[in-house]
Amino acid sequence: MAGVGSDSGASAETTYRSARVPLLLPTWLMIGVFLVLPVALMAVYSFLTKEMRGGVIWDFSLAAYDQFFVHRGLFGDEPPTLEWTYISVFGRSIIQAAIATVLCLLIGFPTAWFIATRPPETRGVWLFLVTVPYWVNLLIRTVSLRFLIRENGPLNDALMGAGVISEPLALINTDFAVQLGLFYSYLPFMVLPIYAAVERYNFTWSEAAADLYATRWVTLREIVLPIVRPGIVAGCLLVFIPSLGAFLAPNLLGGAKNFMIGSLIEEQFKKSLGNWPFGAAVSMILMSLVLILLMIYARSAARQEAR
Amino acid sequence: MTNAVDIRKVTKVFGTFTALHGVSLSIRDNEFFTLLGPSGCGKTTLLRLMAGFEEVSGGEILLFGQNIASLEPNLRPVNTVFQQYALFPHMSVIDNVAFGLKMKGWTLPKRRARAGEMLEMVHLSDFADRLPTQLSGGQQQRVALARALAPQPKVLLLDEPLSALDLKLRQAMRMELKQLQQGTGITFIFVTHDQEEALTMSNRIAVMSAGRVQQIGTPREIYETPVNRFVADFIGETNLLEVEVAAIAGDQAEVILPGGQRVTCSSATTEKGRHHLSVRPERVTLGTVGSGMQAVVEQVVYLGTDLQVLVRLDGGTAMQVRIQNAARTEVPSPGTRVGLTLEEGAARLLAD
Ligand SMILES: Nc1ncnc2c1ncn2[C@@H]1O[C@H](COP(=O)(O)OP(=O)(O)OP(=O)(O)O)[C@@H](O)[C@H]1O
Ligand SMILES: [Mg+2]
């Protein structure tokens, strides 16, 4: 009997193996056309020469990376030093994205927890409410936010009407406004994965911990957080990475001095002002940075697994 | 001596549903006490009230004389073996077992050593570094037991801890649990719906049904002198015959059996009238026609150590009789007429 069973199992496996290539073809095509090709194009473009009216000239050049990293003075005749302009844009972007991630986590975790602990019938309604704003295009939502918080917009009117403030708050074109935009744009990406993790959390584990003398706080730290950690990590990545490359929020809410990587890249591809190879190079640098961060995380997760 | 646990008129209401109706019972220190009852009768609910995961709707629970109503679960010197194990999925087996000790502030080497001993006790030393998901259901149950015992609670609550084990292991674990309880002196409150488990392990049993305690007593008391139909029917096998009470005095009654014979038996009721008589099948002897209750053998079922003889009384009532499958046992064949006589203590008159 056992022999027959394992036989049929093996034959099923070979059946699937021989069918694997044709079955996976659509997936490979999708990945090839929509992922590998654009990234490869970007990589190639970053090593080409810029064409003054936008576009590229097919001549190999390191000018884009040189512009990013090396400073040679206004006329290019000083001894080369490290160029800080773009690195500081990266630094500011990372800080902004990190703050947005922390804010989303602080609000998103309790929200997800709240939804996951409602009776199953009502959870759907709460999830629906979280996602409703996303039926409206991100651009429109960001513009609306700009309208809401501008000097004589509804927010300032309401606050002054209530007597909380006497002068309108200058919110627009500040880091605060950028934060608000990022937070508002990406909050659901934090809530949904954490919700999925908490929903699978078995509350008997908390009871068992309490039964074994753990306080609520210790239970949260030693039992709840480690178990739902994959959801938290997924949420943080889903907020941090798009925040890092965001350009709508910084452009529309932050103004010129609250520039982020996304705006820098976007600018390079505008018709006449642009520098395509430089835009491509900045994108490649951003992508490498994200990949390195992800690899560091994967390493530490694997090490913890092996412990 | 103060009782380990005193439960006084405890009521538990979930929304509109009353899960416990004024339950009262006292559990002595060092006792192996069993809550026995069918599924849904409120056993787990009662345990959860003692552990502190639910609040009582009425009544009070005392632990060694102290009212624990306001005590959070983590402050109660009570540990639980959960019905669904509830092992921490992200911790190895040994870390699970050591968790309670860690919370009590034991140092790492001390709690490792103690957790190791506990695992040895449940024969799982080789599995110390596995994750709970890499264990079978029975092994997980033993880890749950070790985890709850490690901090040496004053009272251990066990919610059907043997239900996932196979028969052999279950029987072995019964003996081990019993010895463990006697060795450690911890009060065990054991929940089960398996009457055999309850009878073999317990000092005393509380039989529950539909949120009420039906009877509390030693296994012998519960089996031999059940107070009502539910208990007689739930514990062991029995024949319930409807009989007319001829006379009643104290806890003795004279009843008229089907066929007109009069017998005296112990009684759980003091009212005359028609009542049910419980007749244990192993206390009935098959005799020759003319003595006792007249009946016809309908079927004989072979059970290995016993034979189950299904008979029909002349009045039409069906009964079963157990006879031992000894070498010289005469096996009656279906269709033969027999007379049934009741041995001493075979019958008990029940309250409804
Ligand atoms: N949180 C709750 N909300 C509503 N009803 C509940 C709740 N917990 C238990 N009940 C009900 O209370 C009754 C007793 O449940 P309990 O879990 O105590 O049964 P049990 O005796 O342990 O049964 P089993 O042997 O199946 O484990 C059941 O009818 C159950 O549906
Ligand atoms: Mg139960």
mmCIF file of all heavy atoms in Angstrom, chain A residues 2 15 20 26 58 65 74 89 92 106 110 152 212 224 233 271 278 284 295 299 304:
data_model
loop_
_atom_site.group_PDB
_atom_site.id
_atom_site.type_symbol
_atom_site.label_atom_id
_atom_site.label_comp_id
_atom_site.label_asym_id
_atom_site.label_seq_id
_atom_site.Cartn_x
_atom_site.Cartn_y
_atom_site.Cartn_z
ATOM 1 N N ALA A 2 1.841 1.248 0.930
ATOM 2 C CA ALA A 2 2.708 2.422 1.056
ATOM 3 C C ALA A 2 3.473 2.651 -0.241
ATOM 4 O O ALA A 2 3.612 3.775 -0.702
ATOM 5 C CB ALA A 2 3.684 2.218 2.214
ATOM 6 N N THR A 15 4.952 14.883 -13.168
ATOM 7 C CA THR A 15 3.972 15.508 -14.046
ATOM 8 C C THR A 15 4.068 17.016 -13.927
ATOM 9 O O THR A 15 4.140 17.743 -14.915
ATOM 10 C CB THR A 15 2.537 15.088 -13.652
ATOM 11 O OG1 THR A 15 2.499 13.687 -13.542
ATOM 12 C CG2 THR A 15 1.538 15.573 -14.681
ATOM 13 N N ARG A 20 6.095 22.484 -15.616
ATOM 14 C CA ARG A 20 6.454 23.687 -14.887
ATOM 15 C C ARG A 20 6.766 24.859 -15.826
ATOM 16 O O ARG A 20 6.293 25.966 -15.645
ATOM 17 C CB ARG A 20 7.657 23.390 -13.996
ATOM 18 C CG ARG A 20 7.882 24.446 -12.948
ATOM 19 C CD ARG A 20 9.046 24.082 -12.066
ATOM 20 N NE ARG A 20 8.666 23.089 -11.073
ATOM 21 C CZ ARG A 20 9.554 22.461 -10.291
ATOM 22 N NH1 ARG A 20 10.838 22.697 -10.429
ATOM 23 N NH2 ARG A 20 9.153 21.593 -9.394
ATOM 24 N N PRO A 26 3.772 32.687 -18.190
ATOM 25 C CA PRO A 26 3.144 34.018 -18.037
ATOM 26 C C PRO A 26 3.789 34.829 -16.919
ATOM 27 O O PRO A 26 4.021 36.033 -17.076
ATOM 28 C CB PRO A 26 1.701 33.685 -17.689
ATOM 29 C CG PRO A 26 1.489 32.297 -18.163
ATOM 30 C CD PRO A 26 2.808 31.609 -18.077
ATOM 31 N N TRP A 58 23.770 57.963 -26.992
ATOM 32 C CA TRP A 58 24.311 56.637 -26.701
ATOM 33 C C TRP A 58 25.823 56.636 -26.646
ATOM 34 O O TRP A 58 26.494 56.020 -27.452
ATOM 35 C CB TRP A 58 23.769 55.611 -27.697
ATOM 36 C CG TRP A 58 22.351 55.261 -27.361
ATOM 37 C CD1 TRP A 58 21.252 55.978 -27.674
ATOM 38 C CD2 TRP A 58 21.920 54.148 -26.607
ATOM 39 N NE1 TRP A 58 20.128 55.391 -27.159
ATOM 40 C CE2 TRP A 58 20.504 54.246 -26.494
ATOM 41 C CE3 TRP A 58 22.569 53.059 -25.989
ATOM 42 C CZ2 TRP A 58 19.738 53.320 -25.812
ATOM 43 C CZ3 TRP A 58 21.796 52.130 -25.321
ATOM 44 C CH2 TRP A 58 20.399 52.269 -25.220
ATOM 45 N N TYR A 65 26.985 59.634 -12.235
ATOM 46 C CA TYR A 65 27.444 59.252 -10.898
ATOM 47 C C TYR A 65 28.439 60.264 -10.376
ATOM 48 O O TYR A 65 28.483 60.567 -9.179
ATOM 49 C CB TYR A 65 28.045 57.846 -10.927
ATOM 50 C CG TYR A 65 26.988 56.797 -11.186
ATOM 51 C CD1 TYR A 65 26.725 56.347 -12.472
ATOM 52 C CD2 TYR A 65 26.225 56.295 -10.132
ATOM 53 C CE1 TYR A 65 25.739 55.415 -12.711
ATOM 54 C CE2 TYR A 65 25.230 55.359 -10.358
ATOM 55 C CZ TYR A 65 24.994 54.923 -11.652
ATOM 56 O OH TYR A 65 24.017 54.017 -11.881
ATOM 57 N N LEU A 74 31.897 75.328 -8.968
ATOM 58 C CA LEU A 74 30.884 75.816 -9.891
ATOM 59 C C LEU A 74 31.300 75.651 -11.350
ATOM 60 O O LEU A 74 30.506 75.337 -12.222
ATOM 61 C CB LEU A 74 30.633 77.297 -9.583
ATOM 62 C CG LEU A 74 29.263 77.829 -9.948
ATOM 63 C CD1 LEU A 74 28.171 76.912 -9.403
ATOM 64 C CD2 LEU A 74 29.100 79.232 -9.371
ATOM 65 N N VAL A 89 20.037 65.271 0.431
ATOM 66 C CA VAL A 89 18.647 64.990 0.039
ATOM 67 C C VAL A 89 18.273 63.568 0.453
ATOM 68 O O VAL A 89 17.204 63.320 1.008
ATOM 69 C CB VAL A 89 18.458 65.164 -1.491
ATOM 70 C CG1 VAL A 89 17.083 64.675 -1.913
ATOM 71 C CG2 VAL A 89 18.646 66.610 -1.883
ATOM 72 N N ARG A 92 17.839 63.485 4.251
ATOM 73 C CA ARG A 92 16.574 64.046 4.693
ATOM 74 C C ARG A 92 15.412 63.108 4.355
ATOM 75 O O ARG A 92 14.508 62.899 5.148
ATOM 76 C CB ARG A 92 16.360 65.409 4.046
ATOM 77 C CG ARG A 92 15.238 66.173 4.714
ATOM 78 C CD ARG A 92 15.180 67.640 4.333
ATOM 79 N NE ARG A 92 15.205 67.843 2.896
ATOM 80 C CZ ARG A 92 16.147 68.539 2.258
ATOM 81 N NH1 ARG A 92 17.140 69.079 2.929
ATOM 82 N NH2 ARG A 92 16.104 68.683 0.947
ATOM 83 N N LEU A 106 2.820 53.761 15.139
ATOM 84 C CA LEU A 106 2.203 54.146 16.413
ATOM 85 C C LEU A 106 0.684 54.221 16.298
ATOM 86 O O LEU A 106 -0.039 53.855 17.222
ATOM 87 C CB LEU A 106 2.754 55.495 16.892
ATOM 88 C CG LEU A 106 4.191 55.443 17.415
ATOM 89 C CD1 LEU A 106 4.645 56.820 17.862
ATOM 90 C CD2 LEU A 106 4.300 54.450 18.567
ATOM 91 N N PRO A 110 -2.288 50.110 17.009
ATOM 92 C CA PRO A 110 -3.533 50.078 17.793
ATOM 93 C C PRO A 110 -4.778 49.959 16.914
ATOM 94 O O PRO A 110 -5.730 49.274 17.284
ATOM 95 C CB PRO A 110 -3.527 51.422 18.537
ATOM 96 C CG PRO A 110 -2.115 51.862 18.532
ATOM 97 C CD PRO A 110 -1.499 51.313 17.289
ATOM 98 N N ASN A 152 -5.482 80.130 4.838
ATOM 99 C CA ASN A 152 -6.880 80.427 5.164
ATOM 100 C C ASN A 152 -7.800 79.278 4.729
ATOM 101 O O ASN A 152 -8.869 79.479 4.187
ATOM 102 C CB ASN A 152 -7.323 81.768 4.564
ATOM 103 C CG ASN A 152 -6.779 81.929 3.156
ATOM 104 O OD1 ASN A 152 -6.274 80.971 2.571
ATOM 105 N ND2 ASN A 152 -6.896 83.123 2.616
ATOM 106 N N LEU A 212 0.937 32.289 33.705
ATOM 107 C CA LEU A 212 2.311 32.020 34.149
ATOM 108 C C LEU A 212 2.958 33.297 34.680
ATOM 109 O O LEU A 212 4.149 33.510 34.527
ATOM 110 C CB LEU A 212 3.121 31.426 32.996
ATOM 111 C CG LEU A 212 2.638 30.038 32.559
ATOM 112 C CD1 LEU A 212 3.163 29.675 31.191
ATOM 113 C CD2 LEU A 212 3.070 28.989 33.570
ATOM 114 N N VAL A 224 3.133 38.799 22.438
ATOM 115 C CA VAL A 224 2.373 39.377 21.329
ATOM 116 C C VAL A 224 3.290 39.900 20.225
ATOM 117 O O VAL A 224 3.186 39.496 19.067
ATOM 118 C CB VAL A 224 1.463 40.515 21.824
ATOM 119 C CG1 VAL A 224 0.725 41.136 20.654
ATOM 120 C CG2 VAL A 224 0.475 39.994 22.853
ATOM 121 N N VAL A 233 6.817 44.020 10.463
ATOM 122 C CA VAL A 233 7.933 44.247 9.532
ATOM 123 C C VAL A 233 7.388 44.535 8.136
ATOM 124 O O VAL A 233 7.813 45.488 7.470
ATOM 125 C CB VAL A 233 8.872 43.020 9.514
ATOM 126 C CG1 VAL A 233 9.877 43.147 8.392
ATOM 127 C CG2 VAL A 233 9.584 42.899 10.850
ATOM 128 N N LYS A 271 10.658 67.614 -19.383
ATOM 129 C CA LYS A 271 11.123 67.827 -20.763
ATOM 130 C C LYS A 271 12.457 68.568 -20.905
ATOM 131 O O LYS A 271 13.480 67.985 -21.171
ATOM 132 C CB LYS A 271 10.035 68.560 -21.569
ATOM 133 C CG LYS A 271 9.206 67.584 -22.405
ATOM 134 C CD LYS A 271 9.916 67.198 -23.705
ATOM 135 C CE LYS A 271 9.638 65.797 -24.210
ATOM 136 N NZ LYS A 271 8.249 65.408 -24.387
ATOM 137 N N PHE A 278 21.240 61.340 -15.166
ATOM 138 C CA PHE A 278 21.354 61.646 -13.738
ATOM 139 C C PHE A 278 20.145 61.095 -12.983
ATOM 140 O O PHE A 278 20.280 60.474 -11.922
ATOM 141 C CB PHE A 278 21.478 63.161 -13.533
ATOM 142 C CG PHE A 278 21.682 63.532 -12.093
ATOM 143 C CD1 PHE A 278 22.814 63.106 -11.412
ATOM 144 C CD2 PHE A 278 20.737 64.303 -11.413
ATOM 145 C CE1 PHE A 278 23.007 63.446 -10.087
ATOM 146 C CE2 PHE A 278 20.926 64.633 -10.085
ATOM 147 C CZ PHE A 278 22.063 64.204 -9.418
ATOM 148 N N MET A 284 18.964 54.387 -9.461
ATOM 149 C CA MET A 284 19.757 53.182 -9.194
ATOM 150 C C MET A 284 20.339 53.230 -7.786
ATOM 151 O O MET A 284 20.348 52.219 -7.078
ATOM 152 C CB MET A 284 20.913 53.064 -10.203
ATOM 153 C CG MET A 284 20.496 52.755 -11.627
ATOM 154 S SD MET A 284 19.376 51.352 -11.781
ATOM 155 C CE MET A 284 20.461 50.035 -11.303
ATOM 156 N N MET A 295 18.482 43.450 2.630
ATOM 157 C CA MET A 295 19.383 42.324 2.835
ATOM 158 C C MET A 295 19.848 42.279 4.285
ATOM 159 O O MET A 295 19.930 41.202 4.872
ATOM 160 C CB MET A 295 20.578 42.416 1.885
ATOM 161 C CG MET A 295 20.450 41.415 0.752
ATOM 162 S SD MET A 295 21.076 42.008 -0.819
ATOM 163 C CE MET A 295 22.746 42.401 -0.451
ATOM 164 N N ARG A 299 19.197 39.088 6.709
ATOM 165 C CA ARG A 299 20.290 38.479 7.456
ATOM 166 C C ARG A 299 19.939 38.333 8.932
ATOM 167 O O ARG A 299 20.047 37.267 9.513
ATOM 168 C CB ARG A 299 21.527 39.361 7.356
ATOM 169 C CG ARG A 299 22.447 39.026 6.239
ATOM 170 C CD ARG A 299 23.345 37.842 6.629
ATOM 171 N NE ARG A 299 24.227 37.497 5.529
ATOM 172 C CZ ARG A 299 25.340 38.178 5.249
ATOM 173 N NH1 ARG A 299 25.682 39.189 5.992
ATOM 174 N NH2 ARG A 299 26.083 37.818 4.243
ATOM 175 N N GLN A 304 18.263 35.219 13.656
ATOM 176 C CA GLN A 304 17.378 35.019 14.798
ATOM 177 C C GLN A 304 16.685 33.650 14.711
ATOM 178 O O GLN A 304 16.502 32.964 15.701
ATOM 179 C CB GLN A 304 16.320 36.114 14.818
ATOM 180 C CG GLN A 304 15.970 36.529 16.224
ATOM 181 C CD GLN A 304 15.500 37.964 16.271
ATOM 182 O OE1 GLN A 304 14.895 38.447 15.321
ATOM 183 N NE2 GLN A 304 15.753 38.635 17.350
#
